[in-house]
Amino acid sequence: EPEVTQTPSHQVTQMGQEVILRCVPISNHLYFYWYRQILGQKVEFLVSFYNNEISEKSEIFDDQFSVERPDGSNFTLKIRSTKLEDSAMYFCASGRAGSTEAFFGQGTRLTVV
Amino acid sequence: AQSVSQHNHHVILSEAASLELGCNYSYGGTVNLFWYVQYPGQHLQLLLKYFSGDPLVKGIKGFEAEFIKSKFSFNLRKPSVQWSDTAEYFCAVNAGYSTLTFGKGTMLLVSP
């Protein structure tokens, strides 16, 4: 069964460093999402991406965040200058055209020290 | 804006006990409702979903949920839990093709 895969599963980085979280969505899906979950809090929407551009973003998704689909298979989330409060589990998800269902990856746990 | 609240953060049950996890949402229009489960170390998986029609929906692994529109609720149920149901359970909603709004999650621990 096809699934969304995320790498790495866990990343530790120093405050101020840039990180790139990688996702390979399900191959025939057209909608891509990033969500995050800070420990003990809700899963929060960050950004959605369709047709090679951001279709929606939350207020969390400020200028330090960016997304890219560099090669037609990967979907990346870049955090330019990490802060302690960026420590969270980051989930990538993808969805088919015409469907409201999202398929999630297993998440990347980002720890900023 | 939509919001979702899950009543319990942690639930501990013995095997064979019945389960009901509460979920309430706030939104004025038509919504789609979901329950996701995350087993330890694994990705979020869809348990079941409601779009329209029969308000009692059946999902995988013996789970079901009932949409009660008048109560803005979508509670998850299972008549007899197993140790393997230990996981975190998330209720989520969206309107049309909009992004998902999640509840905080409920951690279920089933003791053998």
Side-chain angles (χ1 to χ4, degrees):
Chain A
E1 185 181 324
E3 58 181 33
V4 176
T5 57
Q6 291 184 243
T7 54
S9 56
H10 191 186
Q11 174 135 14
V12 181
T13 190
Q14 289 198 321
M15 196 167 52
Q17 295 296 304
E18 174 182 287
V19 294
I20 298 176
L21 309 184
R22 291 184 165 78
C23 170
V24 179
I26 295 172
S27 62
N28 62 345
H29 286 186
L30 300 178
Y31 293 86
F32 313 110
Y33 310 88
W34 282 101
Y35 289 80
R36 79 171 184 190
Q37 185 183 24
I38 295 171
L39 191 63
Q41 298 186 25
K42 295 185 181 191
V43 176
E44 302 170 293
F45 167 71
L46 291 178
V47 66
S48 60
F49 192 85
Y50 172 72
N51 201 26
N52 286 319
E53 60 183 25
I54 291 172
S55 50
E56 189 180 350
K57 61 182 181 179
S58 71
E59 57 191 29
I60 302 168
F61 194 86
D62 61 22
D63 290 344
Q64 68 161 342
F65 291 93
S66 62
V67 288
E68 217 178 25
R69 190 156 158 78
D71 56 13
S73 62
N74 290 285
F75 179 52
T76 61
L77 174 70
K78 182 192 290 186
I79 310 175
R80 255 179 279 283
S81 176
T82 50
K83 300 183 282 228
L84 293 175
E85 54 265 38
D86 294 327
S87 294
M89 181 74 90
Y90 288 80
F91 294 103
C92 173
S94 67
R96 289 185 291 263
S99 171
T100 63
E101 183 177 342
F103 294 79
F104 285 81
Q106 66 191 57
T108 293
R109 180 166 296 285
L110 176 66
T111 303
V112 182
V113 297
Chain B
Q2 304 144 23
S3 68
V4 178
S5 62
Q6 292 183 238
H7 308 154
N8 310 97
H9 292 295
H10 292 90
V11 172
I12 301 173
L13 294 173
S14 299
E15 273 195 315
S18 65
L19 170 72
E20 180 160 2
L21 301 183
C23 172
N24 286 89
Y25 68 93
S26 67
Y27 183 68
T30 303
V31 293
N32 305 309
L33 297 151
F34 306 82
W35 274 98
Y36 282 87
V37 60
Q38 187 175 26
Y39 298 102
Q42 296 188 30
H43 58 274
L44 282 166
Q45 299 174 44
L46 183 67
L47 264 182
L48 47 79
K49 59 190 178 187
Y50 172 81
F51 293 160
S52 63
D54 188 345
L56 183 63
V57 291
K58 295 194 183 299
I60 60 172
K61 305 188 182 190
F63 286 91
E64 65 178 32
E66 185 175 11
F67 170 51
I68 303 179
K69 191 174 181 180
S70 60
K71 295 184 178 180
F72 296 90
S73 70
F74 190 56
N75 292 355
L76 181 71
R77 299 194 293 249
K78 185 171 183 178
S80 176
V81 294
Q82 300 170 309
W83 176 78
S84 57
D85 293 324
T86 293
E88 190 154 19
Y89 293 81
F90 295 92
C91 182
V93 305
N94 69 7
Y97 296 103
S98 69
T99 55
L100 289 164
T101 299
F102 283 86
K104 272 194 173 184
T106 298
M107 185 68 222
L108 171 66
L109 177 62
V110 180
S111 57

